[in-house]
């Protein structure tokens, strides 16, 4: 095997907006969707009129990568560089200004936990072009956040002050046990109690929605259906809790993504699929049961040497070997239930 050592890689900020439609007419197709889905939701919930969006980068990374502690379904290969951002707030503000100057008003991508220092410096050193604009004319920014970062009013206020009005937050599961199975909780290394960590993360999920509402922020929330050791009873508990979260989030949740867990190569879940002993150890640690070991070993032999996978087949086999009493059809039906409930709550559903 050959490997290239990782090297520092700066974020690219010299975007050429004149090239957006150079090869293919992207803008017209994008704006049709933007004006029919994103813009009306912002107008209804925040009274803001948006025209066009453009993804930019001022920062990228995840605080969980610092400890090689990714969520179970995450397949991002992060290496040793767990965070990367532009060198100073002036560069960040210039990047936003360039997008705004080219007619885009929905921009940005960062995490309040991982990049709190950059956000604070942006707040303290706001660019003159930004402060000269009336608040209602400033570009609206969207970013990613963990619930345990957003749940603190001080963090939410900082985001609001630098123009972030919508955050994508992965709530991911409806119960503390499920959060633990997904390796979702964030906690100090010294805290070795996974049940406590999961319970705290569950509380952060609830508080994040209240804080967002109080600070005038919109949320795009995500749920994942299925995990190591899920049973029909635990699935039902998750669905009840997800519906409760959506009900409590009315007025703060702008859109919802719900997907069945996919064991992507590179993720911990894929390792559970291909390594029965690892799956068994994790199940014992969390306190859940798995189907018979013989079947898990047979399935693992089928997947562990493949370079290209059939994603749907991998999802189906994953349910079979780690979720006793469930099938992929059961999880798909559960996804449909949560999507329908989201629509009932007036939330836009992502497909």
């Amino acid at each position: 095997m050959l490997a290239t050592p990782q090297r520092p890689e700066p974020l690219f900020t010299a975007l050429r907006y004149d090239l957006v439609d150079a090869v293919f007419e992207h803008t017209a197709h994008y704006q049709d969707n933007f004006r029919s889905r994103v813009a009306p939701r912002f107008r209804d919930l925040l009274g803001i009129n948006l025209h066009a969006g453009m993804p930019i980068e001022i920062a990228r990374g995840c605080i969980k990568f610092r400890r090689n502690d990714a969520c179970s379904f995450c397949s991002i290969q992060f290496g040793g560089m767990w965070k990367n951002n532009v060198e100073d707030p002036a560069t960040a503000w210039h990047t936003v200004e360039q997008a705004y100057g080219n007619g885009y008003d929905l921009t940005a991508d960062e995490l309040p936990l991982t990049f709190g220092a950059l956000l604070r410096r942006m707040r303290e050193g706001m660019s003159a072009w930004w402060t000269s604009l009336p608040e209602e004319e400033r570009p609206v920014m969207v970013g990613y956040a963990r619930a345990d970062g957003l749940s603190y009013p001080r963090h939410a206020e900082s985001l609001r002050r630098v123009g972030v009005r919508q955050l994508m937050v992965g709530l991911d599961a409806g119960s503390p046990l499920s959060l633990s199975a997904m390796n979702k909780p964030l906690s100090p290394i010294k805290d070795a109690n996974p049940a406590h960590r999961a319970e705290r993360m569950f509380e952060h999920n609830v508080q994040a929605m209240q804080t967002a509402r109080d600070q005038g922020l919109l949320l795009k929330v995500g749920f994942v259906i299925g995990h190591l050791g899920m049973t029909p009873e635990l699935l039902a508990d998750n669905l009840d809790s997800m519906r409760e979260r959506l009900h409590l989030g009315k007025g703060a949740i702008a859109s919802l993504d719900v997907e069945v867990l996919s064991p992507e190569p590179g993720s911990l879940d894929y390792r559970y699929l291909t390594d029965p002993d690892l799956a068994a150890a994790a199940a014992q640690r969390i306190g859940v049961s798995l189907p018979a070991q013989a079947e898990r070993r047979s399935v693992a032999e089928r997947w562990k040497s493949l370079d290209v996978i059939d994603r749907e087949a991998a999802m189906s086999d994953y349910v079979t070997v780690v979720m006793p009493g469930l099938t992929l059809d059961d999880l798909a039906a559960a996804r449909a239930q949560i999507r329908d409930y989201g629509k009932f709550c007036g939330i836009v559903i992502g497909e």
Side-chain angles (χ1 to χ4, degrees):
M1 183 180 72
L2 298 177
T4 301
Q6 188 170 358
R7 65 182 186 276
E9 178 185 333
L11 296 185
F12 182 77
T13 58
L15 301 177
R16 287 276 308 274
Y17 292 98
D18 58 307
L19 299 178
V20 170
D21 296 316
V23 176
F24 175 77
E25 181 62 36
H26 292 85
T27 300
H29 297 283
Y30 174 75
Q31 287 189 340
D32 284 346
N33 179 68
F34 189 90
R35 290 169 179 165
S36 65
R37 292 171 61 85
V38 179
R41 192 65 175 157
F42 266 86
R43 185 168 54 249
D44 292 344
L45 293 180
L46 295 180
I48 297 174
N49 290 312
L50 300 181
H51 307 286
M54 174 62 67
I56 64 170
E57 282 190 312
I58 58 175
R60 61 186 177 197
C62 176
I63 197 168
K64 294 200 78 184
F65 292 174
R66 188 179 189 180
R67 296 200 311 265
N68 191 13
D69 186 35
C71 301
S72 71
F73 48 81
C74 177
S75 60
I76 298 173
Q77 300 302 296
F78 48 86
M81 188 170 61
W82 66 276
K83 64 182 296 184
N84 189 16
N85 57 259
V86 294
E87 60 271 20
D88 52 51
T91 302
W93 282 120
H94 178 70
T95 304
V96 176
E97 182 182 12
Q98 289 295 102
Y100 177 72
N102 281 275
Y104 299 105
D105 53 9
L106 184 64
T107 59
D109 177 6
E110 41 37 54
L111 293 149
L113 275 176
T114 310
F115 303 102
L118 174 63
L119 291 170
R120 286 193 297 273
R121 292 164 63 205
M122 288 180 67
R123 178 177 174 175
E124 294 164 358
M126 291 183 179
S127 180
W129 74 269
W130 173 271
T131 56
S132 67
L133 291 172
E135 185 172 357
E136 65 274 12
E137 295 181 15
R138 291 173 181 171
V140 171
M141 290 191 273
V142 171
Y144 290 85
R146 281 180 56 90
D148 48 341
L150 179 60
S151 63
Y152 293 103
R154 177 171 53 86
H155 292 171
E157 182 188 7
S158 291
L159 291 165
R160 177 74 169 76
R161 288 287 300 276
V162 298
V164 176
R165 297 302 301 273
Q166 182 175 10
L167 289 159
M168 298 169 217
V169 181
L171 302 183
D172 293 323
S175 75
L177 177 58
S178 295
L179 288 170
S180 185
M182 292 178 178
N183 199 36
K184 185 68 182 178
L186 177 70
S187 66
I189 296 175
K190 63 182 180 181
D191 183 356
N193 185 340
H196 174 69
R197 298 198 309 264
E199 187 68 43
R200 290 291 296 125
M201 189 65 186
F202 183 77
E203 294 168 4
H204 280 299
N205 282 351
V206 175
Q207 185 60 39
M209 290 188 290
Q210 182 60 53
T211 302
R213 185 185 294 107
D214 292 345
Q215 294 294 331
L217 302 175
L218 294 182
L219 300 181
K220 178 178 182 180
V221 303
F223 286 118
V224 177
I225 307 288
H227 58 70
L228 181 81
M230 176 167 270
T231 62
E233 295 76 19
L234 190 52
L235 175 59
D237 180 51
N238 270 253
L239 296 182
D240 287 342
S241 188
M242 288 175 185
R243 282 189 283 262
E244 182 184 3
R245 300 283 81 75
L246 294 176
H247 178 75
L248 292 174
K250 287 181 179 179
I253 300 176
S255 62
L256 167 70
D257 281 334
V258 188
E259 293 298 337
V260 174
L261 186 144
S262 175
E264 301 296 321
S267 70
L268 190 57
D269 284 305
Y270 192 76
R271 291 181 63 198
Y272 293 155
L273 177 67
T274 58
D275 187 340
D277 293 334
L278 181 69
Q284 183 176 18
R285 183 174 64 252
I286 298 163
V288 296
S289 300
L290 299 180
Q293 187 181 65
E295 185 171 21
R296 288 187 284 118
R297 291 200 177 280
S298 174
V299 170
E301 287 299 319
R302 185 159 66 245
W303 289 100
K304 67 181 182 181
S305 61
L306 295 181
D307 293 322
V308 179
I309 71 166
D310 180 323
R311 193 164 178 260
E312 192 82 6
M315 293 167 68
S316 180
D317 274 356
Y318 188 70
V319 176
T320 299
V321 298
V322 305
M323 303 183 205
L326 291 171
T327 67
L328 183 58
D329 287 343
D330 293 329
L331 301 192
R335 174 182 60 189
Q337 289 183 41
I338 297 303
R339 286 178 174 176
D340 288 344
Y341 189 77
K343 292 176 183 176
F344 172 77
C345 293
I347 299 170
V348 173
I349 309 301
E351 298 294 343

